[in-house]
Amino acid sequence: MTDTSPRLRPTGRLLTIAVVAGSVAVALAIRILWPYDNVFVDGSVWFRGMDPWYHMRLVDSLVQNFPHMTAFDPFTWYPHGIEPPFHPLAGWLIAGAAMLAGGGTPSPEVINTTGALFPAALGALAIVPAYFIGRHLYGRLAGAVAAFLLAILPGEFLSRSLLGFADHHVAEAFFATTTLLFLMLATERASSSGLTLQNLRRELSTTGRSAVVYTVIAGVSLGLYLLAWRGGLLLLLILVLYALVRGIADYAKGQSRDDVMLVCCGAVAIGGLMVSPIVATHYMSDLYVLAVVATFAMPVAMRLLSVGARRRGWSAKVFVAVLAGGAAALMLAVAVALPGAFTNALKAVDFMVPTGASLSITEMHPLFLPSGRFSVDIAWTNFVTVLPASLVALVVLWRSHRSPRGNHVTLFVVWSLVMLVAVLSQRRFGYYYALNAAVLTGLLVAWILESGWCAKQAVALARRVPTATRANSKAERRAVQTQRAQRRDATLRLGAVAAVLSVALVVPSVTMARNFAVEPSLMTDGWHETLEWLGSDTPEPMGENAYYEMYEHPGAGVDFDYPASAYSIMAWWDYGHWITGGSHRIPVANPFQNGASVAAGFFLAQSEGEGNPVLQTLDSRFVVVDVKTSVRTFHGVAAWAGHDRTEFFEVYDQRTAGGELESIVLYYPQYYNCMLVRLYNFSAQASQPEEFTVVRYSESSGVSGSRKEILGVEYFPSYKEALSYLDESGDGNLRLVSADPMVSAVPLEELNDYSLAFESSSRTMVAGHLVPEVKVFEYAGE
């Protein structure tokens, strides 16, 4: 049904350009001006997050060897090295832009500045396809609102497109959205022109030509998307599901169309060819090839199946049943014929539902279960009111008689639902769903403003009212006054609607966006000076220019052949990319979680005899420890080592003088005996507590788990007396503890093979102690 009611919509190309350009300008201002002082610090670029530092490490090498990316990188995960896990597009774009800006030989400052600006520029440009998707679905007003909301929306998309976040995620989002836009355009044109395999040649010279052009552009954009992210199978999954939904829907309606087959197959063929030169380097190349082939084959299979089903007169239920059976048989065949690809597919599915140590990674938390318990906090900070608005809009889009029910709408709905499921599973996919949420909310706003009631106000507002002096009679003057009153009332009502929408959508988005944008970089003063010291005051591990060289892949499962001069840096995996990119040194672990469990094993070792062999095996010459890992996020180290934090510390309840319960963290001897704690908290020195504390507690179970309440506290002047008390009491609810992480619960011996080589001048307060933020120890053991 076509709606003929008046609509509130911007008119004219100039106004459209102004809206889009204005939204882009707002997006750039938010992404560059607000975080500027946290990225450009004292002449250095502090990239946001962790992975951007590794991207820029690859860009450094790319600039020296453009356009070739090294096939292997020995400057991380010693003694193995890694195959760079990033597809090359983001690196090519940054390195190419830096070379243009630097006249072919850019300085490190130009390279870093280009890398810092890259995400902000591409994030702002993503507004353009978002506008046209909204406009194509529901008109210019919807597109304009979508563009502006995307510019100001907080959350993962903003975080990953802020100044300094030199990662591939913003490129994913941009090219995924661009691909969707042109797939929608191609599908609509192919469907409306009746494009089929039979009339393809004839239609190419008439109305079908634009469908082919849009398909080619979609294919190129899909290829760029696949070149941007190794996990690009997500977009292929959307196309498979779209072909499946369309095939079933068309069969149920008795329709016979070729648009899905022509558009999807054409785009996938182009995209697959573009990414084919680097597929062999993918860590799941068999699954990748299978996914591309399956995405190409699905529309063809659905078309052939529907033709055969119609000849046999199958009902829609029989069609779906045969389709399900065929899919199950195909999966079984893949499991038997290609077990490697099938196993990798299961791993990909498992990745979407993180468990265990993976939950220590914040970005992998489910949106509404950030810490294993239901909470709306993360959903609110990432989407504010736009998330519920987008859910309402999905229903409105599908049910509204004014929304077009074309096949391009089906594609958009499938895309939105997949991204919604993805972000509910892992909050990181908010940088995808943000674009869907902005477009959907734009549709909802347009639907509201173009409703019959708003249209009536618009008519009253647009009505021309003659001046009172031209009224010749009392009745005419009364009519003029009535029309003026109606116009005034319409102005107030529409203004109220606009104000409510602004307060509901714009104000919370801008407020939260500022919170995201001004948030300090993860890099700190203490770590920055530590990285500078490592880069200037420690020996080069592989020679002066080794960092920039190209390296051949040693072969599957083969470790890199390091020179005799090579050594490693033991540090927690969070900081591996900083050590590689900021110091040009080789960490044993990195934020890809390579070596994470090994590093955790060393840091939790309960003695030198247990910890030193780990360093000897890894040729570690220096150990870097910091306050965050030792005190604030120690539980993450425990998780990666396969331990529970309750082995090292627990939260107890204790009664105040007023009889109220308050919480206190008590640390156990296992905590103080860890190599991590003995190095950072005690600087590898011996420690003899002045007194020893034993608590008696009761334990109870509740909705939130077990709770321990302190019933009594005993203090002993010597360790021997404390142990005797524990042995003789026979009470299982006694624990030897300390409430201060910097004061041990047990005597500690000196670590003989470790000497303090550096500590940051930047200090931090821990339990009343002012301590260096970062410390570096040199290991001299044999």
Side-chain angles (χ1 to χ4, degrees):
M1 181 182 295
T2 302
D3 179 41
T4 58
S5 61
R7 295 191 177 192
L8 291 173
R9 62 170 60 180
T11 57
R13 292 185 177 181
L14 290 179
L15 185 56
T16 296
I17 293 173
V19 169
V20 175
S23 298
V24 170
V26 169
L28 285 173
I30 290 174
R31 286 157 173 76
I32 295 177
L33 298 182
W34 281 349
Y36 188 90
D37 291 337
N38 289 326
V39 176
F40 292 100
V41 182
D42 297 331
S44 301
V45 177
W46 289 13
F47 294 103
R48 303 181 71 88
M50 299 297 184
D51 285 0
W53 288 83
Y54 192 73
H55 267 285
M56 294 308 298
R57 179 272 181 277
L58 296 178
V59 168
D60 289 338
S61 176
L62 264 170
V63 168
Q64 301 295 322
N65 306 281
F66 197 82
H68 304 291
M69 179 181 287
T70 184
F72 199 80
D73 185 10
F75 270 80
T76 188
W77 196 26
Y78 191 93
H80 310 287
I82 67 169
E83 176 188 319
F86 298 136
H87 276 185
L89 181 66
W92 284 341
L93 293 174
I94 297 172
M99 293 176 71
L100 287 174
T105 56
S107 65
E109 292 75 18
V110 170
I111 296 173
N112 289 337
T113 300
T114 303
L117 291 170
F118 164 76
L122 206 55
L125 286 177
I127 287 169
V128 177
Y131 165 79
F132 282 104
I133 290 174
R135 173 181 170 177
H136 189 60
L137 287 170
Y138 212 81
R140 286 178 177 158
L141 178 57
V145 174
F148 184 70
L149 284 178
L150 186 58
I152 64 173
L153 193 66
E156 296 291 337
F157 178 72
L158 175 62
S159 293
R160 295 163 194 267
S161 59
L162 284 174
L163 182 75
F165 203 93
D167 209 329
H168 59 275
H169 298 309
V170 67
E172 293 172 50
F174 175 79
F175 288 111
T177 309
T178 304
T179 301
L180 174 73
L181 169 63
F182 284 101
L183 283 174
M184 288 172 58
L185 293 173
T187 299
E188 184 192 37
R189 293 298 173 88
S191 181
S192 62
S193 64
L195 194 64
T196 64
L197 280 174
Q198 289 74 19
N199 65 13
L200 179 61
R201 180 177 297 180
R202 183 183 73 250
E203 292 294 333
L204 285 179
S205 61
T206 56
T207 57
R209 183 184 305 168
S210 60
V212 175
V213 172
Y214 289 142
T215 299
V216 171
I217 298 175
V220 172
S221 183
L222 175 61
L224 293 172
Y225 170 80
L226 296 175
L227 287 170
W229 185 38
R230 284 190 167 192
L233 303 183
L234 180 62
L235 194 52
L236 298 181
L237 172 64
I238 292 173
L239 295 183
V240 168
L241 292 177
Y242 171 61
L244 185 65
V245 170
R246 272 291 312 280
I248 295 173
D250 286 350
Y251 188 84
K253 295 175 183 178
Q255 297 175 342
S256 179
R257 296 179 176 177
D258 290 340
D259 58 292
V260 177
M261 182 173 60
L262 292 173
V263 172
C264 289
C265 291
V268 171
I270 295 170
L273 288 174
M274 288 177 63
V275 78
S276 60
I278 65 170
V279 166
T281 66
H282 196 281
Y283 69 105
M284 294 192 296
S285 57
D286 50 359
L287 176 62
Y288 212 84
V289 172
L290 180 63
V292 173
V293 172
T295 308
F296 180 88
M298 174 59 82
V300 178
M302 292 297 296
R303 187 74 181 90
L304 294 176
L305 180 62
S306 65
V307 171
R310 284 195 175 88
R311 289 176 180 172
R312 292 169 174 79
W314 291 351
S315 67
K317 291 182 179 180
V318 173
F319 178 79
V320 172
V322 172
L323 183 62
L330 184 60
M331 290 177 61
L332 180 61
V334 170
V336 173
L338 300 170
F342 186 76
T343 300
N344 286 332
L346 294 179
K347 289 180 180 179
V349 173
D350 185 61
F351 170 78
M352 293 299 297
V353 187
T355 57
S358 295
L359 291 176
S360 66
I361 305 171
T362 302
E363 68 174 19
M364 296 183 73
H365 286 179
L367 187 64
F368 288 104
L369 296 168
S371 300
R373 298 178 182 177
F374 178 80
S375 172
V376 298
D377 292 346
I378 301 302
W380 172 259
T381 56
N382 277 265
F383 294 102
V384 290
T385 53
V386 173
L387 178 60
S390 69
L391 300 180
V392 174
L394 268 173
V395 178
V396 170
L397 176 64
W398 195 246
R399 295 178 63 88
S400 174
H401 70 278
R402 286 215 308 261
S403 71
R405 298 301 295 273
N407 297 323
H408 60 293
V409 178
T410 304
L411 174 58
F412 177 77
V413 170
V414 170
W415 181 55
S416 297
L417 290 175
V418 171
M419 294 309 179
L420 178 60
V421 171
V423 74
L424 292 176
S425 174
Q426 292 186 31
R427 59 178 286 187
R428 71 190 296 265
F429 289 107
Y431 68 89
Y432 276 98
Y433 189 70
L435 292 106
N436 300 79
V439 171
L440 285 167
T441 306
L443 304 185
L444 181 63
V445 171
W447 179 76
I448 292 172
L449 294 180
E450 294 175 356
S451 64
W453 183 86
C454 285
K456 182 179 178 181
Q457 309 309 312
V459 170
L461 186 62
R463 186 180 297 123
R464 189 171 183 178
V465 180
T467 61
T469 56
R470 295 184 179 180
N472 298 321
S473 65
K474 186 176 182 180
E476 290 178 347
R477 286 193 294 271
R478 187 179 297 114
V480 169
Q481 291 174 353
T482 300
Q483 291 175 11
R484 284 182 176 178
Q486 290 175 346
R487 188 171 184 179
R488 182 178 63 252
D489 291 344
T491 302
L492 292 174
R493 289 166 182 163
L494 289 177
V497 171
V500 168
L501 291 174
S502 296
V503 170
L505 298 173
V506 177
V507 173
S509 293
V510 172
T511 302
M512 196 63 71
R514 180 171 177 80
N515 292 341
F516 273 85
V518 301
E519 188 177 56
S521 170
L522 293 180
M523 178 62 68
T524 63
D525 291 330
W527 264 103
H528 186 256
E529 57 180 301
T530 300
L531 296 175
E532 288 189 330
W533 181 86
L534 285 173
S536 60
D537 287 31
T538 61
E540 288 285 349
M542 292 176 57
E544 191 67 32
N545 295 313
Y547 179 78
Y548 300 98
E549 291 180 6
M550 299 276 289
Y551 295 95
E552 294 296 327
H553 200 298
V558 179
D559 292 340
F560 185 78
D561 185 16
Y562 285 92
S565 62
Y567 65 92
S568 71
I569 306 290
M570 169 61 74
W572 187 230
W573 64 263
D574 282 0
Y575 310 114
H577 293 340
W578 286 0
I579 293 170
T580 297
S583 300
H584 299 186
R585 296 299 181 260
I586 312 174
V588 301
N590 59 47
F592 302 134
Q593 289 86 55
N594 300 133
S597 58
V598 174
F602 167 76
F603 283 128
L604 292 191
Q606 295 288 296
S607 66
E608 270 193 281
E610 184 183 343
N612 287 4
V614 178
L615 298 188
Q616 293 165 8
T617 301
L618 297 171
D619 298 321
S620 295
R621 190 175 299 184
F622 297 94
V623 181
V624 186
V625 289
D626 73 324
V627 64
K628 179 181 177 184
T629 311
S630 181
V631 180
R632 295 164 186 160
T633 60
F634 182 91
H635 60 279
V637 183
W640 276 102
H643 294 274
D644 192 274
R645 64 177 179 82
T646 58
E647 299 176 38
F648 304 93
F649 63 87
E650 286 188 87
V651 178
Y652 284 73
D653 293 329
Q654 67 176 358
R655 296 283 175 181
T656 64
E660 298 178 350
L661 285 177
E662 66 177 8
S663 296
I664 182 173
V665 178
L666 297 181
Y667 298 86
Y668 300 145
Q670 291 90 331
Y671 172 78
Y672 298 101
N673 282 322
C674 291
M675 292 296 290
L676 170 61
V677 175
R678 294 175 71 179
L679 287 170
Y680 179 78
N681 300 35
F682 302 98
S683 295
Q685 300 301 306
S687 176
Q688 180 65 37
E690 295 181 358
E691 65 179 6
F692 298 85
T693 304
V694 175
V695 297
R696 174 179 282 107
Y697 64 91
S698 65
E699 189 169 6
S700 60
S701 298
V703 177
S704 58
S706 64
R707 300 183 66 87
K708 294 181 177 180
E709 181 180 345
I710 298 173
L711 301 179
V713 183
E714 300 286 345
Y715 300 99
F716 301 90
S718 71
Y719 183 52
K720 182 178 180 181
E721 290 179 77
L723 290 181
S724 296
Y725 176 73
L726 289 170
D727 291 339
E728 294 171 1
S729 68
D731 189 343
N733 285 2
L734 294 176
R735 292 298 297 261
L736 182 62
V737 300
S738 173
D740 189 336
M742 309 303 290
V743 177
S744 180
V746 293
L748 299 176
E749 297 179 353
E750 180 182 1
L751 299 179
N752 297 315
D753 293 328
Y754 299 83
S755 59
L756 183 64
F758 174 84
E759 62 180 23
S760 65
S761 61
S762 176
R763 307 278 164 164
T764 187
M765 190 68 70
V766 177
H769 306 272
L770 189 62
V771 293
E773 182 190 347
V774 188
K775 298 179 181 180
V776 182
F777 294 86
E778 185 169 6
Y779 173 66
E782 295 296 334

